[in-house]
Amino acid sequence: MYIFLAVLAATDVGLCVAIAPKMLAIFWFGSCSMAFDACLTQLFFIHALQGMESGILLAMAFDRYVAICNPLRHTSILTPFILVSMVLVVAIRAMVLVGILPILIKRLHLFHSTVIAHSYCEHMAVVKLAVEDIQVNKTCGLLVGFTILGFDMIFILISYILIFQAVFRLQQKEARLKAFNTCTAHIFVFLEFYILAFFSFFSHRFGHVAPSTHILLSTIYLLVPPALNPIVYGVKNKVIRKRVAQIFFLNHRS
């Protein structure tokens, strides 16, 4: 579990590093320009890190499933080798699938504007600037989105259906509450990530949302989860909570 938390934290930090510097440069210094290749690089890292976060949430759901439904074999099933392999598969899947998007954008040469109505380079925001046929880009974007987000969300839901079935079969109320308590942090992070993700995903393609509203919610989707995730898991996890208290206590003494 701690391996997944570490990767989740690294992914959140990566998202902030990919977005925040340019966003602050826009707001503080009015630096609104960016080279096309730099824009595509930012696009790749943002969407790849989003895909990695989705995959890590799926891996954590599987970890909760094994811990609750088969607790005696948890350490034998989720060995360090299996955990590292899962992380590598998640990272490779995200990089390979998302890597297709900037390659397809590079084949476009004619744009009716060079101004993106966003504080960062988002795939559909860039694609919609082209005056050429973008059907391939839109279709590929949908396939990548559903292959990563849709696939992960379906299997996370299946994991929790199986978890709830196992929990409700427990006889003792204290055991049921303890089992639910181990899942609350992950459920909260799962809901905040996928609700905002799918709103941003579908509003760009099918919705008629005001640009300012879409920009605000898309920015919240990228920056709020990295801010909330450490708080959610820090409050729920005794080891992390104790370690943070020790750090603040040592700093206070010094």
Side-chain angles (χ1 to χ4, degrees), residues 79-156:
T79 62
F81 175 77
I82 295 297
L83 295 177
V84 173
S85 299
M86 292 170 67
V87 172
L88 289 176
V89 169
V90 165
I92 293 171
R93 181 192 67 165
M95 289 188 292
V96 170
L97 291 177
V98 174
I100 299 172
L101 303 181
I103 293 174
L104 290 177
I105 293 176
K106 284 286 286 185
R107 72 183 180 86
L108 303 174
H109 301 289
L110 299 176
F111 297 87
H112 62 78
S113 175
T114 57
V115 178
I116 302 174
H118 251 294
S119 52
Y120 62 91
C121 289
E122 199 269 346
H123 174 247
M124 283 306 299
V126 177
V127 168
K128 285 182 177 180
L129 298 178
V131 296
E132 303 173 52
D133 183 19
I134 59 172
Q135 191 59 44
V136 174
N137 299 77
K138 293 172 68 174
T139 303
C140 186
L142 281 172
L143 289 175
V144 170
F146 279 115
T147 302
I148 297 177
L149 298 181
F151 175 90
D152 293 347
M153 187 183 71
I154 290 171
F155 279 92
I156 290 174

Side-chain angles (χ1 to χ4, degrees), residues 50 126 129 139 143 164 191 219 227 240:
Q50 287 174 322
V126 177
L129 298 178
T139 303
L143 289 175
F164 290 153
L191 290 175
T219 305
I240 296 176

Side-chain angles (χ1 to χ4, degrees), residues 56 150 171 197 208 254:
I56 293 300
Q171 299 298 323
H208 300 283
S254 61

Side-chain angles (χ1 to χ4, degrees), residues 69-85:
C69 298
N70 205 344
L72 298 179
R73 297 186 58 203
H74 182 265
T75 54
S76 62
I77 294 174
L78 294 177
T79 62
F81 175 77
I82 295 297
L83 295 177
V84 173
S85 299

